[in-house]
Amino acid sequence: MQTLKLWIRMIFRQWYKKLVIAAIFVLGLYCSLQLLDSGKHKLRHSKNTQTTHHSSESHGIVEIDPENQIPDNRNLYKVPKEDIHIDMCPACFGKEICTDIEAGLVEISKNSKTEFRELIMREASLHKTEKVVVSSVTDALWNKFDKFICQNASKSFPCDVSAAISTGYLTSNQALTVDGLRNLYKVLDKSKSEAVLPICATNKLIHELISTFDGNGDRQLNQEEQGHLMTGLLLHPSYVVLKFQDAISSNLPLPNFHGTCGRLAVWEGGMTPLKDHLQESFEERAGLAAQLLQLVDDFQNEDPNWYFLYTEFSYNSFSVTNEGEVLLTDLQDMIIIDKTLFTQAVGPHSTQSERLCNEMCYQKFTRDIMTSEYVTNVCSQVKHYGQLMFAIVCKEILSDLEEHKTGGFFNYDGNKVHQRSEYRGLLHSPPEKDKDNIEELLRDCVQETLAGGRKQAVEELQETLDKYLTYNDIDDEKNDKNDDDESEKDEEEGNDIEINLNCSG
């Protein structure tokens, strides 16, 4: 027995490497056979799955990944030709996106039609990948416009509008002048507040509008191009603002513009109303509020040549993208002002940069800009009243204070009945540590007590809100670091597993 054990040890010492190799070879052969059998089983399972899938398709059941698909095609339809009215051009908005629309690449979502301030909006998709808004104006407003064109061309209504506009006032040299643009609202018997974009018009603004609508690049507007411009200014200034921003390569927080076709305009969609974010955490709402304050600053200072005045801020004015960016989406009341007017300023503000201004002061300014015969003088003072935009945003959107609950910032006749705001302030329920400070800054933003007090309050409010953004960034960094650590841990564990022989397949 001893001799047998001795022989075994000697053989093992001399042949153990070969034995180990042989064992590994046998084990490897066994694993290969197992994996081959597993592969055949998976192939059979795959074929069975495909068969089931085809069977499901035959019954009209199609699986869709909701993260990567813009609505089920059964809920979309191509833009009807009768909605485009290309035959009315140049009494229309333009033709930039007609190729896509005619090819069916713009599809409208069923039951998505909304009407707001004589505008009609529909949710849609572009190239099946991008959410957009297709907009126009109400039939009543189009009829009013068409009737004017026929009468202006001494034709009975209805008439061939596309021919009539080319012989009427809107495509004349007189219309495309400083006085012509400032008084354009009179064409449809509108109030000046219904067509405000060009009320501070200068020759510089005219040249920029020509550049914006100059489709053939000859640095002037032919009758068709001028027809597009005038139609837009009178009926749908929102898209004119978006087109203007593209032309000047500005970076204002406005939707991306895609183009027009006939009596339709298309721009960025897929956003949610600002009011839908009122239940978010205070940190999230602080981020949105900070963007609103920055937006007002951008309107005044972003572009070196143009000042954008907007006085109708409300929850309905804003939308939020999927990335959390706040955009101004109701642009009907935007006034575009040539900043060279400010160097011509005369009057009480020309020599002083700060002056106490609250509700009565702003009432007088807005009344003057809408009614004064000497509108150039009023427009040249705009930069001194631009803080009005901060006051309205703070009162109408940010503040949840009871004293700011009444709707409307202006009280022209002194007897206006104020309606309570429909929504809570965006900065409602602030953390206790900042509550008193935030509320006091909002009061100073709406009603300043010292000259320059509003500007200082806005700056301090921005700083306070930025702290919450910083906290979010730190939390995100921590989460990212934790994710990285988990990934590294998983990778290490994966490496450990790969070291061991595993025949599970």
Side-chain angles (χ1 to χ4, degrees), residues 21 84 109 120 246 357 400 422:
I21 292 172
I84 302 171
S109 299
I120 294 175
D246 280 356
C357 194
D400 197 51
E422 183 178 355

Side-chain angles (χ1 to χ4, degrees), residues 15 18 42 56 89 102 128 165 184 187 198-199 256 289 299 303 307 323 383 416 440 448 489:
W15 296 93
K18 294 180 180 179
K42 289 180 178 178
S56 298
C89 290
E102 291 169 356
K128 298 186 182 296
I165 191 173
L184 189 62
V187 167
I199 63 174
N256 294 321
F299 283 177
D303 194 282
Y307 190 105
E323 292 74 30
K383 69 174 182 179
K416 180 179 177 182
E440 190 59 32
E448 64 180 0
K489 183 178 179 181

Side-chain angles (χ1 to χ4, degrees), residues 32-42 44:
S32 297
L33 292 172
Q34 288 289 98
L35 290 172
L36 181 60
D37 182 69
S38 175
K40 290 179 180 179
H41 174 73
K42 289 180 178 178
R44 288 194 299 272

Side-chain angles (χ1 to χ4, degrees), residues 196-453:
V196 298
L197 189 154
I199 63 174
C200 288
T202 60
N203 285 322
K204 183 177 178 180
L205 178 62
I206 291 174
H207 292 152
E208 198 62 63
L209 288 172
I210 289 174
S211 177
T212 300
F213 281 80
D214 177 19
N216 59 16
D218 63 359
R219 300 185 180 182
Q220 58 185 345
L221 297 185
N222 57 36
Q223 287 187 332
E224 180 177 13
E225 293 163 346
Q226 186 167 326
H228 298 161
L229 169 60
M230 295 302 175
T231 303
L233 289 175
L234 277 170
L235 303 185
H236 202 346
S238 286
Y239 100 82
V240 178
V241 174
L242 298 180
K243 194 175 174 74
F244 183 89
Q245 178 185 231
D246 280 356
I248 64 174
S249 300
S250 185
N251 192 30
L252 295 174
L254 307 176
N256 294 321
F257 180 63
H258 290 288
T260 59
C261 182
R263 293 188 163 184
L264 301 177
V266 182
W267 62 70
E268 179 182 0
M271 293 175 272
T272 56
L274 177 61
K275 62 179 180 288
D276 289 359
H277 295 261
L278 281 171
Q279 302 307 316
E280 302 287 353
S281 67
F282 185 81
E283 288 76 13
E284 294 294 329
R285 289 183 281 115
L288 299 176
Q291 289 187 62
L292 289 172
L293 295 176
Q294 184 59 51
L295 176 146
V296 173
D297 186 77
D298 288 345
F299 283 177
Q300 299 175 81
N301 302 310
E302 171 69 20
D303 194 282
N305 298 306
W306 305 103
Y307 190 105
F308 298 84
L309 181 67
Y310 189 90
T311 61
E312 297 296 325
F313 293 113
S314 71
Y315 271 109
N316 292 325
S317 305
F318 297 100
S319 300
V320 182
T321 68
N322 291 333
E323 292 74 30
E325 182 182 7
V326 178
L327 302 181
L328 181 67
T329 46
D330 174 19
L331 306 171
Q332 293 291 93
D333 298 296
M334 181 75 79
I335 305 175
I336 301 177
I337 303 167
D338 172 8
K339 283 186 175 180
T340 59
L341 279 176
F342 301 159
T343 62
Q344 306 168 21
V346 294
H349 295 305
S350 57
T351 58
Q352 62 184 90
S353 58
E354 302 291 354
R355 178 175 179 268
L356 188 67
C357 194
N358 288 310
E359 187 172 8
M360 296 300 293
C361 168
Y362 288 134
Q363 285 176 20
K364 182 179 185 305
F365 162 68
T366 53
R367 185 186 296 115
D368 287 347
I369 204 170
M370 294 299 175
T371 62
S372 176
E373 295 181 8
Y374 307 102
V375 69
T376 299
N377 290 341
V378 182
C379 292
S380 67
Q381 306 286 344
V382 164
K383 69 174 182 179
H384 301 291
Y385 295 97
Q387 289 185 28
L388 164 65
M389 293 189 283
F390 283 122
I392 296 175
V393 166
C394 287
K395 180 181 183 296
E396 299 296 325
I397 301 176
L398 302 188
S399 177
D400 197 51
L401 293 170
E402 189 62 31
E403 64 208 71
H404 297 152
K405 288 293 185 181
T406 53
F409 192 79
F410 298 111
N411 183 12
Y412 293 109
D413 56 10
N415 298 308
K416 180 179 177 182
V417 177
H418 289 292
Q419 301 296 322
R420 288 183 63 81
S421 176
E422 183 178 355
Y423 306 107
R424 298 198 69 179
L426 190 61
L427 293 179
H428 70 80
S429 310
E432 283 299 321
K433 64 184 180 69
D434 287 319
K435 183 176 185 294
D436 291 342
N437 181 45
I438 289 175
E439 291 180 349
E440 190 59 32
L441 290 174
L442 288 170
R443 289 189 180 95
D444 290 341
C445 175
V446 176
Q447 190 86 7
E448 64 180 0
T449 55
L450 296 172

Side-chain angles (χ1 to χ4, degrees), residues 77-111:
Y77 63 94
K78 295 179 181 179
V79 181
K81 290 184 178 179
E82 57 268 25
D83 287 357
I84 302 171
H85 293 292
I86 196 73
D87 57 306
M88 297 291 192
C89 290
C92 66
F93 299 142
K95 299 180 179 179
E96 302 102 330
I97 203 170
C98 280
T99 301
D100 284 345
I101 288 182
E102 291 169 356
L105 299 179
V106 177
E107 297 177 292
I108 296 176
S109 299
K110 292 181 180 178
N111 304 318

